[in-house]
Amino acid sequence: MTTKKPGGGGMSEQRRLRLRLEISREAARLFWEQGVAATSGDQIAEAVGLSTRTIWRHFRSKESCAEPIVMQGVVTLMSVLRKWPLERSLEDHLATELAGFRHEKPPVDLADEMLAMKMIRLADTEPALRTAWLMACDQTERQMCGIIGDRLGRPADDLEVRLHAAATASVVRVLDEHIGAAVLAGAELTDFAGVTALAERYAQAIRTATGGAVGDPLT
């Protein structure tokens, strides 16, 4: 039996998430094109082809409409890190997995990656969008507790694991903001010729932030 979400009109959870992402895409485009203040809930609803009432059933405010697309900004990296084998260094794993997206479909479409970068960039001056981005970073930290805990053979709630996860999440946040700003300034996101350098940058920063505890291969 399919569980129906209260207030969702019998909508399945998967369909609800797809609809939220669709709304978020249109909201993000409007926010980037005309600014958050100049964008109304009615405009977002019209862009998606829904009623304004439906928008408010899925989001608490117009700014919160950006949250699903902002979350897309960390999906690819986290999906790669969850597959990190013990016997490989972080540099090698990131380089191999990221380069593989030249031939395989990545977890997040390029268009969504770009919209996420734009919202993260807007977050510099929009407190509500900054909140959405920091929520995404918090999810990154929580996931990293599991990844690092498994790697070190410790519980996810172990203090040292949590400290390493917090440091790693901070690295991801700062580098994502830096790379996003560079791409929006004209750098080429799809230039995979530099994927090895990109992987090394993430890995070295994470290794430094965790005092060398995270990054090296384990046997």
Side-chain angles (χ1 to χ4, degrees):
M1 178 180 295
T2 301
T3 301
K4 295 181 179 180
K5 187 173 181 64
M11 183 180 293
S12 70
E13 181 66 8
Q14 186 177 23
R15 184 181 173 196
R16 187 184 74 86
L17 292 174
R18 284 200 304 265
L19 181 57
R20 277 175 53 85
L21 184 55
E22 182 181 350
I23 294 170
S24 191
R25 288 185 183 113
E26 296 304 327
R29 290 189 184 102
L30 288 169
F31 289 160
W32 184 254
E33 291 170 3
Q34 60 190 36
V36 176
T39 300
S40 68
D42 290 340
Q43 288 175 318
I44 296 171
E46 182 179 0
V48 186
L50 298 171
S51 68
T52 305
R53 183 177 179 180
T54 299
I55 299 297
W56 301 142
R57 255 202 318 263
H58 290 277
F59 294 96
R60 65 188 179 278
S61 66
K62 68 177 183 181
E63 292 87 356
S64 69
C65 291
E67 290 174 4
I69 205 68
V70 168
M71 285 295 298
Q72 296 294 85
V74 296
V75 167
T76 297
L77 180 60
M78 295 312 299
S79 69
V80 167
L81 289 175
R82 280 194 292 271
K83 296 188 293 183
W84 182 16
L86 293 177
E87 67 275 10
R88 300 189 72 180
S89 70
L90 183 54
E91 291 93 334
D92 288 346
H93 177 63
L94 286 177
T96 299
E97 293 294 319
L98 294 178
F101 293 145
R102 296 178 63 180
H103 311 291
E104 302 174 6
K105 181 179 175 62
V108 175
D109 290 339
L110 179 59
D112 282 352
E113 289 273 11
M114 289 299 297
L115 278 174
M117 287 182 183
K118 289 175 179 178
M119 292 305 96
I120 293 168
R121 187 62 171 161
L122 272 185
D124 286 343
T125 55
E126 294 285 349
L129 296 186
R130 187 67 181 174
T131 298
W133 173 225
L134 293 179
M135 286 173 60
C137 294
D138 181 69
Q139 287 299 314
T140 298
E141 181 178 331
R142 292 172 184 271
Q143 292 181 48
M144 286 307 307
C145 283
I147 293 169
I148 293 173
D150 288 345
R151 193 166 184 83
L152 299 182
R154 298 186 180 186
D157 61 354
D158 178 84
L159 178 58
E160 187 172 349
V161 169
R162 291 182 60 195
L163 289 171
H164 292 329
T168 300
S170 294
V171 167
V172 172
R173 176 181 61 79
V174 172
L175 284 180
D176 278 5
E177 290 173 355
H178 175 77
I179 292 168
V183 169
L184 294 176
E188 182 55 63
L189 181 64
T190 55
D191 180 12
F192 285 97
V195 71
T196 299
L198 180 64
E200 289 179 352
R201 190 165 199 177
Y202 271 98
Q204 289 173 5
I206 289 171
R207 189 177 284 107
T208 298
T210 60
V214 180
D216 292 336
L218 300 175
T219 55

